[in-house]
Amino acid sequence: MLMISRSFAGLFLLWSFSFTLYGQTNEGTEFWFGFMEHRDTGENNMVAMITSTENTTGVISMPGANWELPIQVQANTVSIVRLLPSAEHVGSEFKNAKGIQIVMDAPSSVYIHQYFGMRSEASVVLPIESLGLEYFIMSYTGIQIGGTDYPSEFLIIATEDDTEVEIELSSPSKGRSLSSGLYKITLQRGQSYQVQAATWQGDLSGTYVKSNKKIALLSGNAWTQVPTACEFRDNLLEQMYPVSTWGKSFVTVPFRENPFDIFKVLAAEDNTSIIISTENDTTVYELNRGEHVEYREDDASFIEASKPVMLAQFIIGTECTSHPIGDPSMVLINSIEQTRQKLTFFSSSFQAIDEHYLNITTTTADTAFVLLDGRPISDFGGEFSVLRPNPEYAYASVELRSGSHTLESSRCGVSAIAYGYGDVESYAYNGGSSFFKFNAELPPLDACVGDPVSVSLDLNPERFSFEWDLGDGSVSAGANPEHTYQNTGTFDITVQVRDECLATENSIQGTVEVSSKEELTISESQLLCQGDTLKIEVAQTPGTTITWDGPNGFSSQSAAVTRPNAQPQMTGTYSVIGQTENCPTFPAQTEVTVFANPQPNLGVDTFFCPPKGERVEISPGSFPTYLWEDGSSQETRLIEVGGEYYVAVTDLNGCVGVDTFSIDERCPAKLTMPNVFSPNGDQFNDEFTYSTEFVDKIQLYIFDRWGKQVFSTEDLQGSWDGTIPNGNPAKEGVYFWQLEWEGFDDAGQRRIERQTGNVLLVR
């Protein structure tokens, strides 16, 4: 199992088999978000703002409403899409299908803005790559006006099916009177779930949310005052950052025109020390997991924490300022490591925002390399000031026009907060940042002797340098060294990392458990005949998972494989590999050959007439051996009697093929009828005698000239003696006969014939 000791913020170590993870930003191609309940329910406007550094297209959709629109973005500009009124969530603790998805063809940045009637707020939207599994909520106490509560709230959106979410409330919700203990929900892809505090006095800050799959999480208030004692109110809306991206060092810059700002800092772990330093003061807080503290500050500050924290900055209500415009807004502050070299953002004028500002932070050494819309910030009336509590950093604040802007630094990068003021309203959002996962849960590592292992730090090698000690005497200066261990055991690894921008050096330690591979015992190669049962087997040790691959896409996870009725297409190489908890086994193979059975051919079934001396000789073809149904073993067979005949032949592979032959005895029927007879007792032609050959059935009727029947018979060789039914001799004259008989014709077809004729009776 990999165990990592991190001694500074901003580094993330990941071991894997040839696996490398790079840092995330607010730029991506897939985004999920939603809109919480606004003070002006059903009336407020909701828009998405999409920007990119290149021309691109995409689609925005709300799958639960069967709604979607195409998106077109020109490079370094912003496309704005208005959402349906039904996108707003109303109420608490109901599952909805109001998740909104944006999919772009090229990397883009997305921001959202919700506004109406002098109530306005905006947020950056994180791409799916920057989302996580573990969050805490940052929000603010609500208010009550005219008997109506406007609560603290948050919103969960699932990005995959079967997303299991655990929620540990910090304050009672509308649906739950107790805030202690976890409760669980399951969401499907695109489903959403809003939670609101039970009363206006509740603050859901510190609520813990954990999931088994990535979720998007937004938080804020339907309407509130910041601080609580200041009149003038606004909605709050901000996407939460996963705990894995939190940092320990921050620079804060005052919002323009405000006498002070409100800050809230929240800890992810117990015993977290937080030091807040300004030019003239230092304040220390001690927080435990989920605890948060609110404070006010009117100066730029440097914040250091012993463990990862989340920091929010709030614009205050206009009543507490001398500036005639503005109102509450909330934004999360990046830690100093989460910089980007280039970011594009939008200064929104929606809902009559009149003033637009940008707070910028960077290293002091990089101030000369920072450009805004391709120009130095001095062109915008701004200048960098060195941060007095920590001179390694500098900050600036500039006023902008509404519209899209690009901020960039060719060296260590920048961070920025975009915000604006209108008549008793405002907005603020993160203008763009990286989301390195400093605090992600590290997966365990098991390596195998002889297999290369790639070690990767989530750091840009252009900014950082590395010195690896891989624990077995091997060293490397690469950012992502690949190494093969030749022996089993536990190896301690160390990497010394230097941040060339911040001029700091730090050390990371870890261990890797290297195990040996097992040999597999597999069935020997097989020669089979078509129709046999194919059986292959591998000895499986406990805890080993087996995977077979074979011809024509065959696969199986069974140690013993049985395939009845084998066919030639099953011929080929069958490969198997086992996976243990630590290592895959060495692969093993066995060959299987399935021979096609021989195909004897006795010909088509037929008929003949043995009484006429006809005989039939049959042969299945040339094969090594023969076995007929009568036990004979000759190649040919002389057929003299009709019936079913069978032969089994064996080829050189020992495979057997069979064929059957059926032959019927079918002789063509013949019948002879006399035309005169003289029943006078002279012993010559005294009877009407007919003859048949190969006739199966006969029916003969004889009639006098008046149509009266005088004789009938079914005898195949019968005769009429010339008497009528009463025994008297029939009179001389012509008599008529009618005959029906059944037999085979010359083509072997069974036929029923009807014939008529006459016969002369003389005495």
Side-chain angles (χ1 to χ4, degrees), residues 56-274:
T56 186
T57 59
V59 175
I60 182 171
S61 65
M62 192 160 69
N66 295 318
W67 174 86
E68 69 174 38
L69 284 176
I71 302 171
Q72 286 190 328
V73 178
Q74 298 298 314
N76 299 314
T77 65
V78 174
S79 291
I80 299 170
V81 180
R82 293 185 180 273
L83 278 299
L84 297 174
S86 59
E88 180 187 12
H89 289 76
V90 178
S92 183
E93 291 142 292
F94 297 102
K95 293 182 183 180
N96 291 287
K98 296 186 177 184
I100 302 165
Q101 183 191 35
I102 291 179
V103 177
M104 301 300 297
D105 295 327
S108 305
S109 298
V110 175
Y111 308 90
I112 56 175
H113 196 166
Q114 188 175 19
Y115 58 94
F116 181 83
M118 298 181 292
R119 289 169 283 273
S120 173
E121 178 66 304
S123 174
V124 66
V125 178
L126 274 59
I128 197 167
E129 295 87 356
S130 296
L131 300 179
L133 308 178
E134 185 182 19
Y135 294 84
F136 282 91
I137 297 300
M138 180 70 80
S139 184
Y140 206 80
T141 304
I143 57 170
Q144 185 184 67
I145 301 294
T148 300
D149 284 0
Y150 298 97
S152 170
E153 57 191 3
F154 65 87
L155 175 65
I156 302 167
I157 300 102
T159 66
E160 298 182 50
D161 287 338
D162 301 319
T163 297
E164 298 174 2
V165 182
E166 296 181 354
I167 302 172
E168 183 179 4
L169 293 170
S170 62
S171 178
S173 66
K174 286 186 176 180
R176 295 179 183 271
S177 59
L178 297 177
S179 60
S180 61
L182 292 170
Y183 76 95
K184 300 180 181 181
I185 60 171
T186 299
L187 300 176
Q188 304 306 316
R189 179 177 180 271
Q191 279 194 317
S192 48
Y193 186 80
Q194 180 171 266
V195 178
Q196 295 179 320
T199 68
W200 68 271
Q201 298 157 311
D203 182 0
L204 294 174
S205 295
T207 293
Y208 178 68
V209 180
K210 183 179 180 181
S211 60
N212 66 329
K213 300 177 182 179
K214 287 184 176 182
I215 57 173
L217 186 63
L218 294 99
S219 181
N221 294 73
W223 200 34
T224 194
Q225 298 174 175
V226 180
T228 304
C230 281
E231 291 289 338
F232 292 89
R233 311 158 191 96
D234 218 331
N235 60 305
L236 302 181
L237 172 67
E238 186 75 0
Q239 180 153 15
M240 298 292 99
Y241 301 165
V243 174
S244 60
T245 66
W246 293 10
K248 295 186 286 187
S249 299
F250 303 82
V251 172
T252 70
V253 182
F255 287 126
R256 290 276 288 269
E257 308 298 343
N258 281 350
F260 64 89
D261 299 322
I262 294 295
F263 292 88
K264 288 180 72 171
V265 60
L266 187 151
E269 301 177 35
D270 289 342
N271 302 315
T272 299
S273 297
I274 304 158

Side-chain angles (χ1 to χ4, degrees), residues 636-704:
T636 61
R637 181 78 180 275
L638 183 63
I639 306 299
E640 299 180 304
V641 179
E644 295 285 335
Y645 295 85
Y646 167 99
V647 69
V649 301
T650 304
D651 63 14
L652 294 176
N653 298 315
C655 298
V656 177
V658 300
D659 195 21
T660 59
F661 178 76
S662 178
I663 187 167
D664 293 333
E665 295 183 10
R666 298 179 185 178
C667 296
K670 293 180 63 176
L671 187 143
T672 303
M673 301 293 290
N675 57 10
V676 63
F677 76 111
S678 57
N680 54 13
D682 63 358
Q683 304 301 312
F684 178 75
N685 199 23
D686 281 339
E687 293 185 348
F688 174 83
T689 301
Y690 55 90
S691 64
T692 64
E693 186 177 15
F694 308 123
V695 173
D696 296 327
K697 293 180 181 180
I698 191 171
Q699 182 70 55
L700 175 66
Y701 301 95
I702 299 178
F703 304 92
D704 62 18

